[in-house]
Amino acid sequence: MTGALIVLATVLVQVMVVNRMSLPGGVTPDLVVLAVIGVAMARGPAAGAVIGFCAGLLADVMPPTAHLLGQYAFVLAVVGYLAGQGLGGSVVTTVMAGVILAPLLAAGLGGLISDPRVTVATLTDQVPLTIAYTLLLSPVVMWLSGRTTRPGYAT
Amino acid sequence: MRDSRRARLTLGILLTAALVILTVDHRLGAASPFGPLRAAGTWIFGAVERTAGSVTRPFGEFLRAVANAPAAHDEIERLELENARLRTSLIAKELDTGRSEQLKRMLGLAGRGGYKVVTANVIARRGSPGFEEAIQIDAGTADGVRPEMTVLNGDGLIGRVISATADTATAVLISDRGSATGARLEGGQEIGVVHGVGENGRLLRFKLLDASAPLAPGGRIVSFGSQYGRPYVPGVPIGVIERVEATPGELTRVAFARPYADLTALDVVGVVVRAPARDPRDAVLPPKPDPRKQLTEAARPPKRGVVAPRRDARDAALRPTRGRRGGTAPPVQPPVQPSAQPPVQPSRQPSAPAPEGEPESESRTPGATSGREDDGQEPVGAGVAPGRDSTRAVRRPDAEQQSVRPAARPAARPSVRPSARPRDGGVTSPPAGAVAPGEAGRAQPRPAARGGAAARPPVRDSGETVRPAAHGGRASRGEGGR
């Protein structure tokens, strides 16, 4: 429940605040991915997959939307599952792997459904920048999950 | 493991669901069954976003303002500067627009009258009640402005130059209490004097020399002109009579007139550096306002007629010069002369006596007559001249030329005037003394002119160069009298 609220709040913040900031490069960090990763690490792969799916669906439905429904839900479900599995073994690697994986997955999926917005330029310019920005914020998640994860990691 | 298997199952289901959703959405496009879901999401989250946005926006803006404070400060300063600059240029543009309109009107007036005008802007003004009403203009001797030149604008007469430096000149307005301007009532040959009454030029006092002449509100006044066009060129609209004073038993009648030119709001003015070679009056007055035109036309004939006889003699002298000069004005003059002159002459003579009687006319008449003379001369032609010509033995040489002149005059006169005047003066001067009596009898203006003529002789001898001095002398007299 807490995780769901966290993700919901994150999605809102992402859309209302973060996406409105104008950062160099024209891209913004992806807080939703970080939240999903954090919650998934605390709740395990199944819950992580569900949380990710729901968060992705929410993000797909959120007003400023122009992409296909289910695109982000797919990506975040995968990321949530992998993060719940403890990808890479440690918190740091899990978060970093998730953060790097998410945009690549999204781009790959977009490419699969021949989304005209997914181009080589997207892969070379936007995706790396997005990953970089998100990684800059990832220590917060690492620190939070470091404190809260231990008890919940087992499940 | 059970955990992981369950997790995998969950993941598989979820991914399948996502892919199904994706596919359906992708395939069906706008007809997607998830449209309502999307709409609901848009509705709910849109509301939430709006609310949250309205709450967080102030903070965001505050943070942004704090972050941008230094830059914003510079930006504000820059914008303020830019604002001031734009405002200034806007005002300047408005001023320029108004100024160009005034210039256009004035040039039109000058063109009609055949005046050669130097334009200037009013750069200072004296107007304390009870004191002189004078303006400073930004044209001076370097521009050809000399003392005792007429100052006008697109509406009418403004005043005369009393002193000039290289770059600036001072002009006394016709509203100055010490100013007296020869004036003619439209529609007739009645002449009078316009005095300033102060009040910042809202009213002028017009003293009609003939107490029996009809004088009614609405009557228009134009300048009578001075000898050689100094200080006043003829034909410049002065004002409209607003009310007539009852002066029973007096020799003159007094009326108050509202000047055409707004003497309280002067900007672009023109200094007539060369009076019209011909009859500027006809051309100038009519053109301005239609009503005026009619009036002026009516008035002109008498003037011309009156002037013509005297002028004829003068004309003879002038004409040669004019022809030489080859003026541009011709178009206007030809029409005027024929029509105006004949009717005028008869009437002029009767009217003339009255003007002479008045002392005030003296100052005016010299200038006024000169202007008229020029006009008259041209139109009158040789026919009138004979009597006068005879008086002026000297002129004759010119007079002989007169026969030729008629053709030449029209074109030449406008531009020629300056030179023509001197010549006229020269020509007339000898005869002037003899002529004056007769002329005086005919019409006042002329008498004055004669007076001018008397002055002229010396001028003539000296030649054009001398004239200025002679004019100055006259002018000074006129001023002193005024």
Side-chain angles (χ1 to χ4, degrees):
Chain A
M1 191 60 201
T2 312
L5 285 180
I6 289 174
V7 170
L8 182 62
T10 309
V11 170
L12 286 175
V13 169
Q14 173 76 30
V15 173
M16 291 189 303
V17 180
V18 179
N19 284 354
R20 288 185 184 176
M21 297 193 301
S22 60
L23 297 173
V27 298
T28 54
D30 194 345
L31 295 187
V32 180
V33 168
L34 285 177
V36 167
I37 291 171
V39 172
M41 282 194 301
R43 298 293 159 80
V50 174
I51 292 270
F53 180 83
C54 294
L57 209 54
L58 265 184
D60 284 337
V61 171
M62 279 290 203
T65 175
H67 59 270
L68 291 175
L69 201 62
Q71 201 172 336
Y72 214 46
F74 183 95
V75 171
L76 287 187
V78 174
V79 169
Y81 171 79
L82 293 178
Q85 286 284 28
L87 198 69
S90 74
V91 171
V92 174
T93 54
T94 301
V95 171
M96 288 183 65
V99 166
I100 293 170
L101 187 62
L104 290 177
L105 250 183
L109 191 59
L112 275 181
I113 60 175
S114 65
D115 187 333
R117 285 174 289 256
V118 178
T119 62
V120 177
T122 313
L123 283 176
T124 57
D125 298 343
Q126 293 187 14
V127 171
L129 260 180
T130 306
I131 292 173
Y133 281 141
T134 311
L135 282 179
L136 280 177
L137 293 174
S138 58
V140 177
V141 177
M142 297 172 189
W143 176 69
L144 282 176
S145 57
R147 285 179 54 197
T148 60
T149 299
R150 308 285 150 144
Y153 222 143
T155 50
Chain B
M1 272 323 283
R2 198 198 64 191
D3 245 10
S4 74
R5 205 188 306 142
R6 206 194 71 189
R8 274 181 213 155
L9 185 63
T10 310
L11 176 65
I13 293 171
L14 289 177
L15 291 187
T16 308
L19 286 177
V20 168
I21 293 173
L22 249 180
T23 308
V24 170
D25 203 28
H26 184 45
R27 283 300 174 92
L28 299 182
S32 163
F34 302 106
L37 183 62
R38 227 186 263 263
T42 303
W43 185 74
I44 294 170
F45 288 107
V48 173
E49 282 178 12
R50 268 198 305 279
T51 310
S54 62
V55 172
T56 58
R57 188 175 302 122
F59 293 99
E61 286 176 353
F62 173 74
L63 290 177
R64 207 174 302 135
V66 171
N68 296 337
H73 188 68
D74 296 344
E75 181 81 354
I76 288 172
E77 280 189 345
R78 194 181 62 76
L79 289 176
E80 280 177 345
L81 276 177
E82 188 178 358
N83 233 343
R85 209 187 63 236
L86 291 176
R87 204 168 286 150
T88 308
S89 68
L90 186 64
I91 293 172
K93 188 178 288 179
E94 284 172 355
L95 285 176
D96 285 348
T97 306
R99 204 165 279 174
S100 82
E101 279 172 10
Q102 292 183 46
L103 271 175
K104 236 178 267 171
R105 267 192 307 160
M106 192 176 66
L107 290 179
L109 181 149
R112 274 179 249 129
Y115 307 125
K116 186 177 177 186
V117 167
V118 168
T119 61
N121 285 327
V122 175
I123 55 178
R125 165 166 188 148
R126 283 288 293 275
S128 303
F131 295 90
E132 79 268 32
E133 302 214 358
I135 55 173
Q136 193 80 4
I137 59 177
D138 62 355
T141 54
D143 305 295
V145 174
R146 301 282 185 277
E148 298 309 318
M149 282 179 167
T150 307
V151 181
L152 48 74
N153 73 357
D155 296 321
L157 187 65
I158 288 176
R160 67 191 158 92
V161 177
I162 56 167
S163 66
T165 64
D167 298 322
T168 65
T170 305
V172 166
L173 304 182
I174 53 175
S175 60
D176 187 88
R177 287 177 186 278
S179 163
T181 310
R184 174 168 52 88
L185 196 58
E186 67 169 353
Q189 56 210 26
E190 300 302 335
I191 61 173
V193 186
V194 169
H195 294 277
V197 293
E199 294 187 16
N200 287 324
R202 277 185 291 276
L203 279 182
L204 302 171
R205 193 159 61 92
F206 176 62
K207 192 187 284 184
L208 193 63
L209 301 184
D210 183 354
S212 63
L215 186 59
R220 277 170 283 240
I221 307 171
V222 299
S223 72
F224 188 65
S226 313
Q227 193 166 21
Y228 297 153
R230 288 167 180 262
Y232 294 111
V233 294
V236 183
I238 294 178
V240 182
I241 293 175
E242 281 203 330
R243 76 188 140 87
V244 179
E245 294 269 295
T247 54
E250 292 190 15
L251 290 178
T252 59
R253 300 189 67 192
V254 173
F256 286 92
R258 179 175 44 79
Y260 280 127
D262 186 355
L263 298 175
T264 59
L266 295 173
D267 185 6
V268 176
V269 300
V271 180
V272 179
V273 295
R274 184 186 292 175
R278 307 170 181 174
D279 213 344
R281 303 167 186 175
D282 298 356
V284 178
L285 300 172
K288 295 183 177 180
D290 294 345
R292 289 184 193 171
K293 292 180 181 179
Q294 298 173 357
L295 298 172
T296 54
E297 290 178 358
R300 296 172 185 174
K303 297 176 181 179
R304 291 180 180 176
V306 178
V307 178
R310 305 168 187 172
R311 292 177 183 175
D312 292 349
R314 301 173 186 173
D315 290 353
L318 297 175
R319 293 172 184 177
T321 57
R322 292 177 182 175
R324 299 167 187 172
R325 295 175 182 176
T328 46
V332 178
Q333 297 176 354
V336 175
Q337 296 177 353
S339 63
Q341 295 176 354
V344 177
Q345 294 179 353
S347 62
R348 294 176 183 174
Q349 295 178 354
S351 65
E356 293 177 353
E358 292 192 3
E360 295 177 352
S361 64
E362 297 174 358
S363 61
R364 309 169 186 168
T365 41
T369 48
S370 67
R372 293 179 180 178
E373 290 178 7
D374 294 347
D375 298 346
Q377 292 174 357
E378 298 174 355
V380 174
V384 182
R388 298 178 182 176
D389 291 354
S390 64
T391 55
R392 308 170 186 177
V394 179
R395 297 178 183 175
R396 303 276 158 105
D398 294 347
E400 294 176 0
Q401 298 174 357
Q402 289 180 355
S403 61
V404 179
R405 296 172 187 173
R409 293 176 186 174
R413 292 177 184 175
S415 63
V416 176
R417 276 192 183 179
S419 62
R421 295 178 185 173
R423 295 177 184 177
D424 291 356
V427 176
T428 44
S429 60
V435 177
E439 292 180 350
R442 295 175 185 174
Q444 284 190 343
R446 291 165 189 183
R450 304 312 171 195
R456 296 174 185 175
V459 175
R460 219 206 228 169
D461 298 347
S462 58
E464 293 185 0
T465 54
V466 177
R467 297 173 190 172
H471 292 301
R474 298 174 188 173
S476 64
R477 297 178 193 172
E479 291 179 352
R482 293 167 188 170

